[in-house]
């Protein structure tokens, strides 16, 4: 049993170390979002009626973003297929980043949906945190973001709001 635990921990450590760049980028992006909002709020605190916060519900990937990520994906898999050194780690990192971006698209869609239905902000935030804690929830957010991009759920909601 001790050998199994050691092998498991060794594999876990290796996997985490190989996706560390993607984790650092993700954490940096989240911290930058909150830091930006805090600095803008401090700078414009005396201006009345100014709303400096960038709303998560306004985040939306553009078609060219998706094409760019698809191209990066294809290049990474091609490098892995050819056998370039380090390509496996590159593919793992790109997988983490793509999952994060499409999950953010899903989170944005949930926030927009709840905003148009006038649901209090705390409810979707708590729901998103709960979803983010479990692998199935992350998959739901990713799938929702992907479906939003492919089927334009955001455009449909905004049309019905008008």
């Amino acid at each position: 049993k001790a050998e199994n635990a050691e092998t498991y921990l060794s594999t876990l450590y290796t996997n985490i170390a190989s996706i560390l760049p993607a984790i650092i980028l993700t954490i940096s992006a989240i911290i930058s979002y909150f830091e930006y909002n805090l600095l803008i709020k401090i700078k414009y605190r005396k201006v009345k009626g100014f709303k400096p916060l960038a709303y998560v519900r306004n985040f939306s990937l553009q078609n060219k973003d998706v094409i760019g990520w698809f191209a990066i994906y294809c290049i990474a898999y091609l490098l892995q297929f050819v056998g370039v050194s380090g390509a496996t780690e590159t593919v793992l990192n790109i997988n983490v980043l793509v999952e994060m971006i499409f999950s953010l698209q899903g989170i944005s869609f949930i926030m927009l949906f709840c905003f148009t239905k006038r649901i209090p902000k705390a409810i979707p935030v708590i729901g998103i945190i709960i979803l983010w804690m479990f692998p199935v929830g992350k998959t739901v957010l990713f799938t929702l973001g992907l479906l939003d991009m492919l089927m334009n759920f955001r455009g449909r909601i905004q049309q019905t709001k008008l």
Side-chain angles (χ1 to χ4, degrees):
K1 289 185 176 184
E3 290 178 11
N4 290 341
E6 184 178 335
T7 304
Y8 174 76
L9 290 175
S10 176
T11 304
L12 181 66
Y13 176 76
T14 304
N15 289 342
I16 290 174
S18 63
I19 62 168
L20 191 60
I23 293 171
I24 291 171
L25 278 173
T26 302
I27 291 171
S28 300
I30 293 168
I31 290 171
S32 296
Y33 172 77
F34 288 111
E35 180 183 15
Y36 167 79
N37 286 330
L38 178 68
L39 291 175
I40 292 295
K41 195 171 196 175
I42 290 170
K43 182 177 179 182
Y44 293 106
R45 67 177 176 257
K46 294 182 182 179
V47 178
K48 294 190 181 213
F50 184 75
K51 295 183 180 180
L53 298 179
Y55 296 114
V56 174
R57 69 176 180 258
N58 293 337
F59 174 82
S60 182
L61 289 170
Q62 303 299 315
N63 289 337
K64 59 185 172 187
D65 298 333
V66 176
I67 292 169
W69 278 108
F70 182 72
I72 291 170
Y73 232 72
C74 290
I75 292 169
Y77 276 107
L78 180 66
L79 291 175
Q80 185 179 18
F81 179 74
V82 171
V84 174
S85 174
T88 303
E89 288 81 13
T90 302
V91 169
L92 288 172
N93 282 291
I94 289 172
N95 281 337
V96 170
L97 291 174
V98 168
E99 181 181 323
M100 179 62 190
I101 288 170
F102 279 105
S103 295
L104 182 58
Q105 179 76 22
I107 290 169
S108 172
F109 174 74
I110 291 171
M111 296 300 286
L112 178 68
F113 179 79
C114 292
F115 176 76
T116 57
K117 300 297 181 187
R118 300 187 190 277
I119 297 172
K121 288 181 186 177
I123 293 172
V125 169
I126 291 169
I128 289 167
I129 290 171
I130 290 171
L131 283 173
W132 194 259
M133 292 170 66
F134 301 103
V136 172
K138 288 181 185 179
T139 303
V140 167
L141 291 173
F142 175 82
T143 305
L144 190 59
L146 190 62
L147 288 174
D148 181 26
M149 283 299 303
L150 294 175
M151 301 177 76
N152 194 22
F153 289 156
R154 177 178 304 276
R156 293 178 188 182
I157 286 178
Q158 290 174 340
Q159 284 178 349
T160 58
K161 184 181 174 191
L162 298 175

